[in-house]
Amino acid sequence: MDVDIAGSLEGEFVCDSNEALEFKLVRSVEDIGNDQASFKPEMSHQIFGDNESIFGYKGLRVKLYYSACRLTMYLGQEYEAVVDPDTFDGVEPDNILQLIQEKLQIPHVISNVDEFVKALKDDESFQPFGDKLTSFQDGNKTYEIYHCDTSNQKFLNFHERLQTFILFYIDAASYIDTDDSKWQFFVLYENYKSQSGAECHAVVGYCTVYEYYAYPDRTRPRVSQMLVLPPFQRRGLAVHLLCSIYQHYRGIDGVSDITVEDPNEEFQHLRDYVDASLCSGLDSFSLDKLRQGFSPEMATEACLKFKINKKQARRVYEILRLKETNVHDDSDFSSFRLDVKRRLNIPFQKETALIKKLKSQLEEDPQLATALGLKTPEQRFDTLDKMFTDTEKEYKKILRRMEELPLPTDTF
């Protein structure tokens, strides 16, 4: 018979990999059987393909557990029923455990629960790698941030397990080449006491930074990947992690400024919130100077104090300018809008110059503009208007967060 995996009968043996897969950060034996301690991936296409599906099982649970400190890994599965290849033209069920282990590239993953339970005891002797940058309190919890580089082989072994999370939480993420000594690591831990009273350090999140060369003899760090694990999200901990990176590099004379590699919307929001909060106290961003427009002094002071690059300093200026703008005053708001639109219009100015250059060709071949992706004046106006509206909404979110949740005083 024809095997239609999407069909009614066959579909019973197709599982959503995001639903089937569960993670745990295990601190005690009790956590292993506690469903409330589990959390789900945001994506799994890098393991199970674009459809994020697993064939061959009913009631499937794939368990990928980590000890909270060392990140010792356990991988197992449970299911209610498995497909019989004889009824599906010889199609075998997916070999889930083999597939995961191959994709994660981890040489040793525990497959026996009893062995994993024994390994949990080793967490009590775990000590963070590298240099301690800072510690801070959040309620009754204490956190610490450590910096490490590629010279520590024990850390690199630990990082092999740590980086497996990015495949499930950062789209298009890939493992980094730790043979390159320019990689730097910042790891956030939560301090807690084990059931025996031992002081332990549970992994909360981490960030990788690549130190690029900047002419003539300087370094330009670029934030590459940042992840706070799901059980610790929505607590403002990423703010402390990012600020610790700023603090680390602001004390190094050879650093020009800090950049970010392809920030997603969530990280850009975090960055805007931190940078605008920090710059709001600088003299060059005072009210009277904000009303005079963006200035070289703003870019210079933001870089000198916090290693914020010029492009981001301009964005911070616009956020703080909006804060001081009376949106109900037509003249005041119009001045702000035109200022922002002038920046947003820069790519369109280049397009306009190209249109002038190709004027004769465009008149001879009206389809050439479409082939080159060139917009009409009306289309450019509409696009620019939408870009401003979207930008204003983003800035208002930042300002609302700054008002409701001021930057913690212990971050700088």
Side-chain angles (χ1 to χ4, degrees), residues 106-124:
I106 301 298
H108 178 64
V109 177
I110 297 174
S111 59
N112 181 280
V113 173
D114 293 333
E115 184 181 344
F116 181 66
V117 169
K118 291 179 182 178
L120 292 178
K121 189 67 178 176
D122 295 334
D123 269 16
E124 294 187 355

Side-chain angles (χ1 to χ4, degrees), residues 15-59:
C15 304
D16 182 333
S17 56
N18 292 325
E19 288 299 320
L21 186 59
E22 63 180 54
F23 298 104
K24 285 183 182 177
L25 294 168
V26 181
R27 298 189 181 189
S28 66
V29 176
E30 288 75 18
D31 287 341
I32 296 175
N34 181 8
D35 288 342
Q36 293 184 346
S38 65
F39 54 98
K40 296 291 185 179
E42 289 184 7
M43 62 195 74
S44 55
H45 60 272
Q46 297 199 77
I47 308 294
F48 298 108
D50 292 341
N51 291 330
E52 296 185 319
S53 60
I54 300 171
F55 173 71
Y57 306 88
K58 285 184 182 179

Side-chain angles (χ1 to χ4, degrees), residues 265 315 322 340-341 343-344 382-398:
E265 183 178 338
R315 187 173 171 92
L322 176 59
V340 174
K341 280 190 171 183
R343 175 183 63 81
L344 296 175
D382 290 342
T383 300
L384 189 61
D385 206 45
K386 184 179 185 304
M387 289 173 66
F388 172 77
T389 300
D390 292 343
T391 299
E392 182 192 8
K393 288 180 181 178
E394 291 173 18
Y395 289 174
K396 284 182 175 179
K397 288 180 182 178
I398 304 301

Side-chain angles (χ1 to χ4, degrees), residues 128-136 142-148 187 191 201:
F129 303 95
D131 300 318
K132 180 179 173 181
L133 297 182
T134 187
S135 64
F136 60 93
T142 301
Y143 299 90
E144 296 178 345
I145 298 175
Y146 283 75
H147 166 246
C148 201
V187 185
N191 296 351
H201 300 80

